[in-house]
Structures are given as C-alpha cells and as structure tokens.
Amino acid sequence: QVQLVESGGGLVQAGGSLRLSCAASGSGFRLNNMRWHRQAPGKQRELVAQSTRSGRPTYLDSVNGRFFISRDIANNTMYLQMNSLKPEDTAVYYCYADLCSEPLCAIAIGGYWGQGTQVTVSS
C-alpha cells in the first residue's frame, strides 16, 4: 500500500529555515506531479508550490523566492526547502503526489496525500 510520509516540521524563529520531506513508501512507481499545500488555523488549505516532471516549478506569490520544491527521483522523495520563514508561514503543511508506473510513467496510479506536518514560526 502506498503512503506518503512527511517529516521535517517544527518550531523555528522568524528568518530561519526548515526543510520538509515527503517520502513515498512502496515500489513500482514514480513521482509524477508534486504539490505542497498548507492550512493555517481558520483558513482554507492553499497551494504553496507545485512541480511537474516536465515543467518549471510554480509558487504562491508570498513564498516565491523563499521556498523551493525539489525531488529525489531515486528515492521517490519530494522536498520543500523553506528559507527566511515568517510568522505568517505558520501552518500544517501537506504534500501531495500523483504516482505513475515505472519506468516510463505510462500508467497513472493515483493521487496521494501526506499526513501533514506542523510548521510554527515565532516572531
């Protein structure tokens, strides 16, 4: 059974950095489209960053230039590097990935969410 397992959240002071990881357990698949979302208390979940296998990453305006999405193809792991963190970045962060079959991604397997990881930025 495929699972996306997140790690790397925590408490950091404003101006600090964190790197979130999202590892896909299982075998026989590859990461296709990837996204990171976040949800702050009392707010709707919003898309923070996304990356396709063929296109350039795109980012929420408020994090552009500070956050960077990447992937480790060999280990089916995606990352979100977050720099110059601000208190308004405080939220639960969720990864999402579309998985496809190895080796050429010819068959879509499905979309999966991570369990979420808390990021708290203190002022």
Side-chain angles (χ1 to χ4, degrees), residues 13-91:
Q13 289 189 329
S17 297
L18 284 173
R19 188 176 79 157
L20 306 183
S21 300
C22 177
S25 64
S27 61
F29 56 82
R30 298 178 60 182
L31 297 179
N32 194 1
N33 301 320
M34 314 182 305
R35 305 199 301 258
W36 286 94
H37 297 249
R38 68 185 181 188
Q39 187 165 19
K43 296 187 177 181
Q44 288 188 330
R45 190 173 296 191
E46 62 181 355
L47 176 63
V48 175
Q50 62 180 346
S51 172
T52 66
R53 291 173 61 242
S54 58
R56 295 180 65 182
T58 57
Y59 300 92
L60 182 68
D61 284 348
S62 61
V63 309
N64 196 23
R66 299 188 296 122
F67 289 13
F68 302 93
I69 188 171
S70 63
R71 71 179 77 198
D72 179 342
I73 296 173
N75 293 306
N76 276 333
T77 301
M78 53 193 283
Y79 302 98
L80 185 68
Q81 177 67 42
M82 304 185 295
N83 301 324
S84 302
L85 282 161
K86 304 175 180 180
E88 51 264 42
D89 295 320
T90 295

Side-chain angles (χ1 to χ4, degrees), residues 1-22:
Q1 184 176 354
V2 177
Q3 284 186 314
L4 297 186
V5 180
E6 297 185 42
S7 60
L11 173 64
V12 64
Q13 289 189 329
S17 297
L18 284 173
R19 188 176 79 157
L20 306 183
S21 300
C22 177

